[in-house]
Amino acid sequence: MSGSLRGAGLAAAVDLLTCPHCRAPLAVVQAGRVLGCSAGHRFDIARQGYVSLLGPRARTDTGDTAAMVTARERFLGRGHYAPVTTVLAEQAAPVGPVVEIGAGPGHHLRGVLDARRGPDGESPIGVALDSSAAAARRSASDPRVASVVADAWSPLPVVDAGVAVALSVFAPRDVEEITRILRPGGRLVAVTPEPGHLAELRDVVPLLAVDAGKSERLADAFAGRLELIERIEVTADLALTPADVADVVGMGPNAHHLDAAALAAVADGLPERTPTRLAVTVTVLRKPT
């Protein structure tokens, strides 16, 4: 590596990144303001410190809006999903780079990096991939994180067998791509909701229903590629304020179809606390050595 990158996290992770057009390795060019490959493809680093590595068939229309990202930061920042972050950190065991696919503003990735900090204070390399530029701007604020705009359903701009841990929290999972980027012995640590997750809220706000068996189907999808290590149920009783309820709805896929004013009106009519339940499964899969 050479030059001085605008994004401190990108400086540490550029050797993990590949060109989305030709898959060639990327390097720092033009005084640290651009990433480029040997074929001449160039990618400007935004002044906020993230880079867009979208391929020719990449989609961004399903990415979170700025309002959704803000709602997610508020909700997660209040600690409601802290038990999930704790289990992710415990299961992100292999030493080496950590990539979160569909990272949003990078909340869970930061939690894993915090837990993996060594005795000298150093953290492993973290790469946040998300199709939302608004999310990428937020995750880039952490100097330990290389923030990249990328589509989870397209070839990931990550080198073959370069990743020790891939995280996926309520996010898309491309079987071939995740298998490709994991090194032998590397882990996929994925979070899927259970049918009881936030079920009590569905009586008062528009939330999509959750199908049963998501974690089983996840493991089946990777059969023959990754081996199942463990499934961990994570549950917790929550007591959400009206603001919490508005944020948890506003940060999810329902927000693409909801009027913000209508959601605020529903939230204003809720009691001081609405009891509900966190109910997810963390599935740990490993690539054979």
Side-chain angles (χ1 to χ4, degrees), residues 13 60 93 109 124 140 143 146 185 214 247 249 274 288:
T60 61
L109 178 58
K214 279 183 173 289
D247 283 339
V249 177
T274 299

Side-chain angles (χ1 to χ4, degrees), residues 14-27:
V14 68
D15 291 341
L16 289 173
L17 303 178
T18 60
C19 176
H21 300 294
C22 66
R23 307 296 290 272
L26 292 175

Side-chain angles (χ1 to χ4, degrees), residues 27 52 64 71-72 75 96 125 128 148 182 191 200-201 221 223 261 266:
S52 179
D64 290 354
R72 186 178 301 275
F75 185 82
I125 295 171
V148 178
L182 281 176
V191 180
E200 295 81 2
L201 296 187
V266 171

